């Protein structure tokens, strides 16, 4: 299976350009989609989910143009949007049965599939409680279950761990990893640790353009020997933020431990091992510097 995004642009009324000549080819695995707010991630996923049409370019699913034949993709698509709504008077089983009917799934197999998915997302004990009484995290888990109803070949999830507690977040990460071998999974999130735990590839998007498409290892390699830890007094922190690219700060008894990204270290700073968040911020910074130049 293969998903090809060929020179896709999306321009909204008023001239706002959400995607600009975006090109990407995907095969089975988990793609972590990273980018700042307003980068075009949600627009891209809406186009891939056949909800929005591209202004230019095309999306091919196994060679078929999905704008001309959207059902070729919809039949094998699982989609969890960021703003996922439920019917509050239905319980989890009724809600999933309704969505299964909408998807045209076989009635005999649906009951077993729903039982399996509710167990997978840890909702079996509350499966008959009306969804209006669910917490935000529980509703999100129902959303994950509905995205998997048809055992999709392409799974698109937008901020899927928002509202989940740490234990459920780990459970969902493990689920994505288990699913990745036999389908294409696109995971869009601002939580870099989710990407770090699950992604086989990373796409970084900024202002509607593809900044990088690399493996996590290759992205980390770009920032080797460019991450430093510097201990400074609290009073010097604002000045440091003006001068250096800082990925994180931690206050301790000996001062503020500042994590700095750059080719050269300030006096007294010590090199440290990079993490994926360092690499992401460094890549974005280099892109912005190049665009500005």
């Amino acid at each position: 299976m293969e998903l090809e995004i060929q020179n896709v642009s999306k321009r909204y009324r008023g001239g706002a350009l959400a995607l600009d000549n975006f090109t990407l080819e995907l095969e089975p695995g988990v793609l972590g989609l990273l980018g700042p707010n307003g980068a075009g991630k949600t627009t891209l996923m809406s186009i891939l989910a056949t909800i929005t049409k591209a202004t230019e370019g095309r999306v091919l699913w196994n060679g078929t143009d999905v704008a001309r034949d959207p059902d070729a993709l919809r039949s094998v698509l699982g989609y969890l949007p960021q703003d996922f709504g439920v019917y509050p008077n239905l319980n989890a089983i009724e809600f999933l049965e309704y969505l299964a009917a909408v998807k045209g799934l076989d009635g005999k197999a649906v009951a077993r599939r729903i039982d399996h998915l509710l167990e997978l997302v840890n909702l079996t004990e509350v499966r008959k409680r009306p969804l209006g009484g669910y917490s935000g995290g529980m509703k999100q888990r129902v959303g994950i279950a509905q995205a998997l109803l048809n055992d999709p070949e392409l799974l698109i999830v937008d901020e899927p761990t928002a509202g989940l507690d740490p234990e459920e977040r780990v459970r969902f990460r493990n689920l994505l990893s288990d699913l990745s071998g036999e389908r294409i999974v696109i995971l869009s999130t601002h939580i870099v640790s989710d990407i770090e735990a699950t992604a086989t590839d990373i796409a970084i998007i900024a202002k509607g353009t593809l900044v990088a498409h690399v493996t996590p290892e290759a992205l980390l390699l770009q920032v080797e020997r460019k991450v430093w830890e510097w201990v400074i007094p609290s009073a010097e922190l604002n000045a440091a933020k003006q001068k250096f690219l800082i990925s994180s700060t931690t206050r301790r008894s000996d001062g503020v431990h500042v994590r700095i990204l750059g080719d050269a270290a300030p006096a007294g700073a010590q090199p440290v091992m990079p993490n994926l968040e360092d690499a992401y911020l460094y890549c974005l910074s280099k892109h912005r510097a190049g665009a500005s130049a």
Side-chain angles (χ1 to χ4, degrees), residues 94-111:
E94 292 167 339
F95 181 66
L96 292 174
E97 285 176 341
Y98 165 71
L99 291 180
V102 170
K103 292 173 185 268
L105 301 181
D106 177 67
K108 294 181 181 179
V110 162

Side-chain angles (χ1 to χ4, degrees), residues 27-76:
E27 294 181 345
V30 179
L31 175 78
L33 186 62
L34 282 171
N37 290 336
K41 302 189 299 296
T42 298
T43 297
L44 175 62
M45 287 184 291
S46 294
I47 291 172
L48 297 181
T50 71
I51 295 170
T52 302
K53 287 190 176 182
T55 308
E56 298 173 10
R58 59 181 187 163
V59 175
L60 303 180
W61 173 252
N62 293 331
T64 299
D65 188 333
V66 301
R68 295 181 178 178
D69 184 8
D71 289 339
L73 178 56
R74 287 172 181 169
S75 62
V76 294

Side-chain angles (χ1 to χ4, degrees), residues 135-215:
S135 67
M138 292 165 71
K139 290 176 183 175
Q140 190 73 352
R141 283 184 268 157
V142 172
I144 293 166
Q146 66 80 29
L148 295 170
L149 267 173
N150 60 336
D151 195 18
E153 294 179 13
L154 173 62
L155 176 62
I156 302 173
V157 287
D158 191 358
E159 301 289 353
T161 61
L164 300 186
D165 62 35
E167 183 180 359
E168 292 301 334
R169 180 172 289 148
V170 170
R171 179 192 290 265
F172 181 70
R173 289 173 178 173
N174 292 338
L175 173 60
L176 278 191
S177 296
D178 292 343
L179 291 171
S180 62
E182 56 194 39
R183 71 199 80 215
I184 297 172
V185 179
I186 300 176
L187 165 63
S188 174
T189 180
H190 69 284
I191 303 172
V192 178
S193 59
D194 285 350
I195 301 279
E196 199 162 24
T198 59
T200 53
D201 285 278
I202 295 172
I204 298 176
I205 181 174
K207 293 186 177 179
T209 63
L210 181 65
V211 175
H213 179 209
V214 293
T215 63

Side-chain angles (χ1 to χ4, degrees), residues 2 10 16 32 35 38-39 48 56 69 80 83 97 99 120 128 167 173 180 197 208 257 285-286:
E2 186 177 37
K10 178 63 178 180
L48 297 181
E56 298 173 10
D69 184 8
L80 174 62
D83 298 317
E97 285 176 341
L99 291 180
L120 206 61
K128 293 187 178 180
E167 183 180 359
R173 289 173 178 173
S180 62
H257 288 239
S285 174
K286 286 294 185 183

